[in-house]
Amino acid sequence: MCKLFIDADPALWRSATHSLRIDGMVTSVRMENYFWQLLEEIAQRDGMNTAQMITRLYHESIDAGHDLGNFTSFLRVCALRYQALQLSGEIPASVTVPIGELDAQQILARERIRHDHQKRVH
């Protein structure tokens, strides 16, 4: 089992720092290359570059009242959620389908139903 992870390309877990400007302030985000690749794929699906998508995520999170004390962790979770939603079939595997065209409310409702069902089973 571990060989699948240990023998993977080491470039995937190397960290990279990207600088971007949010509301006129320059900020740096450092995380592993694999997360950057996923975030780039998410951004491209909706016709944005990674910096544009991260800025949009930041603004929408603030508008929703979230505390973004650890914004880098938030971005990592976004990338992992993206993959999990693809695996569950909620986000099509085809990167030609923009995420912005999906019905987020219905996806979240189905996710809550699955979560509630899992809690009752356990």
Side-chain angles (χ1 to χ4, degrees), residues 8-119:
D9 182 0
L12 293 173
W13 66 77
R14 281 195 201 108
S15 291
T17 302
H18 292 224
S19 293
L20 56 133
R21 188 177 299 271
I22 298 177
D23 297 335
M25 302 270 301
V26 176
T27 187
S28 294
V29 178
R30 181 175 183 81
M31 63 185 146
E32 297 74 20
N33 289 327
Y34 189 67
F35 289 109
W36 286 118
Q37 290 173 10
L38 288 170
L39 292 174
E40 182 178 350
E41 181 177 308
I42 295 167
Q44 287 176 351
R45 287 182 79 134
D46 283 275
M48 292 181 268
N49 64 41
T50 308
Q52 290 169 324
M53 189 212 41
I54 289 172
T55 300
R56 185 167 177 180
L57 280 171
Y58 178 83
H59 285 134
E60 289 184 11
S61 296
I62 295 299
D63 291 346
H66 295 295
D67 175 13
L68 294 178
N70 192 338
F71 190 57
T72 303
S73 290
F74 170 73
L75 293 174
R76 283 187 183 102
V77 170
C78 288
L80 293 174
R81 249 182 90 59
Y82 170 72
Q83 281 195 314
L85 288 167
Q86 278 187 313
L87 288 171
S88 71
E90 293 291 357
I91 293 178
S94 172
V95 296
T96 62
V97 178
I99 293 173
E101 291 182 4
L102 303 176
D103 189 335
Q105 294 303 333
Q106 283 189 1
I107 291 170
L108 291 167
R110 286 190 296 268
E111 194 174 46
R112 278 188 217 92
I113 290 168
R114 280 192 302 274
H115 179 73
D116 290 346
H117 176 73
Q118 288 173 348
K119 281 178 23 181

